[in-house]
Amino acid sequence: MIRFLLSSLLILIAASASAQDRRPSHCIAIADAAPGLKYLHRASYREPLPDYTVRLHYIAHASFLIQTQGGLNAVTDFTGFIGNTDLIPDVVTMNHAHDTHWTANPDPAIAHALKGWGAFGQGADHHLDLGEMLVRNVSTDIRSQFGGEETRGNSIFIFEVAGLCIGHLGHLHHEPNDAQYAAIGRLDVVMAPVDGGYTVPQATMIRILKRLKSSVVIPMHWFSDLGLRTFVDGMSESFDVIRVGGPSIEVSLATLPKRPTIFLLRPAWLRGRE
């Protein structure tokens, strides 16, 4: 009996150590929306957040502010300017297909400036655990100058926070392959470039988003209301559409819509007194 108990204890210890050595992702599991609860809503980026809630503020072009209830601030496709504000993000992510998606000189006060590329063709590998937020990436290819290609030159950044998986597709130039889809996992929220030319054709982006089956889709990287409307028309059979009328929404597992929904945000720079 004693030998059996000792053996069981050793198995439990080994299993615990193995679990701690893993780099787990919660994005593979599909999050079920709780029935009968409110949809997402707008709020100022200065206001405190409820528990288990994340705020998304569309700053400009492909830049979003992602805020946690505990006070972490992340900015995607960071260009060095987010508005007339004294806010210094804890983490910024960048891609370098164009200079509207990165800066060579991020503020040294930013603790974590994550490039979505590495040495030419080698890509990047990020797995940043900030306690309340985990930031990781999946590399994809981009078109380089003069018709070439840079393997692993773009990163899809994924933010795991408050039980949610939030993905930013960056400057995506091709549909992910099966291995990349598997690495991305289940995204509850996705920010998607819908310009239809500089990144991928709109038909390709629609196919990508239908496969991802995210509960919340936020279009970004659009250059005209006409182009945005064309994208929405192509998605309307499978997705509901909500015109938020402002730059921000709050989202939690409890408020995910039952049917996949496009949330149309109007970008706005951050301002210090908001």
Side-chain angles (χ1 to χ4, degrees), residues 7-30:
S7 177
S8 300
L9 180 61
L10 289 173
I11 291 173
L12 287 173
I13 292 172
S16 175
S18 176
Q20 291 173 359
D21 290 339
R22 291 196 204 104
R23 297 183 2 163
S25 169
H26 301 291
C27 296
I28 305 304
I30 295 177

Side-chain angles (χ1 to χ4, degrees), residues 8-269:
S8 300
L9 180 61
L10 289 173
I11 291 173
L12 287 173
I13 292 172
S16 175
S18 176
Q20 291 173 359
D21 290 339
R22 291 196 204 104
R23 297 183 2 163
S25 169
H26 301 291
C27 296
I28 305 304
I30 295 177
D32 294 321
L37 297 178
K38 63 184 177 181
Y39 281 113
L40 297 72
H41 62 279
R42 292 176 287 165
S44 166
Y45 79 96
R46 293 289 189 183
E47 294 178 4
L49 279 163
D51 291 342
Y52 311 111
T53 301
V54 180
R55 179 179 295 125
L56 303 171
H57 180 109
Y58 189 11
I59 299 172
H61 197 53
S63 293
F64 288 82
L65 171 66
I66 303 173
Q67 293 182 299
T68 73
Q69 188 273 336
L72 286 176
N73 295 286
V75 173
T76 65
D77 278 24
F78 179 68
T79 64
F81 181 74
I82 56 177
N84 181 21
T85 177
D86 58 1
L87 176 70
I88 296 176
D90 300 284
V91 55
V92 299
T93 64
M94 298 181 288
N95 278 300
H96 75 156
H98 299 286
D99 60 8
T100 51
H101 295 258
W102 72 291
T103 175
N105 301 294
D107 189 329
I110 298 171
H112 306 282
L114 307 183
K115 295 180 178 178
W117 68 97
F120 190 89
Q122 295 183 20
D125 183 16
H126 297 294
H127 192 272
L128 176 64
D129 190 346
L130 299 175
E132 191 182 15
M133 175 189 286
L134 174 68
V135 185
R136 61 184 179 90
N137 75 303
V138 176
S139 291
T140 61
D141 304 338
I142 59 171
R143 298 180 294 273
S144 59
Q145 289 184 333
F146 312 115
E149 180 179 284
E150 181 180 353
T151 304
R152 295 168 57 85
N154 175 74
S155 279
I156 296 171
F157 279 98
I158 299 163
F159 305 81
E160 302 185 25
V161 55
L164 295 164
C165 292
I166 301 170
H168 185 282
L169 299 184
H171 209 280
L172 190 63
H173 285 180
H174 63 87
E175 182 169 4
N177 59 35
D178 287 343
Q180 289 164 333
Y181 272 122
I184 294 166
R186 164 66 174 174
L187 297 180
D188 301 294
V189 180
V190 62
M191 286 89 82
V194 301
D195 57 277
Y198 288 98
T199 54
V200 298
Q202 285 194 348
T204 302
M205 181 53 64
I206 289 171
R207 185 168 62 247
I208 291 169
L209 293 172
K210 287 182 177 179
R211 176 162 176 175
L212 287 174
K213 297 180 180 178
S214 301
S215 297
V216 174
V217 174
I218 303 176
M220 66 172 185
H221 206 263
W222 45 271
F223 299 98
S224 70
D225 286 339
L226 176 61
L228 181 60
R229 187 160 57 247
T230 302
F231 165 76
V232 171
D233 289 345
M235 294 280 285
S236 58
E237 285 189 10
S238 303
F239 289 72
D240 290 338
V241 179
I242 294 179
R243 290 169 172 80
V244 175
S248 300
I249 56 174
E250 293 177 4
V251 59
S252 69
L253 282 175
T255 60
L256 289 176
K258 295 179 183 179
R259 189 170 189 261
T261 302
I262 299 169
F263 285 82
L264 299 178
L265 303 183
R266 307 301 300 191
W269 299 109

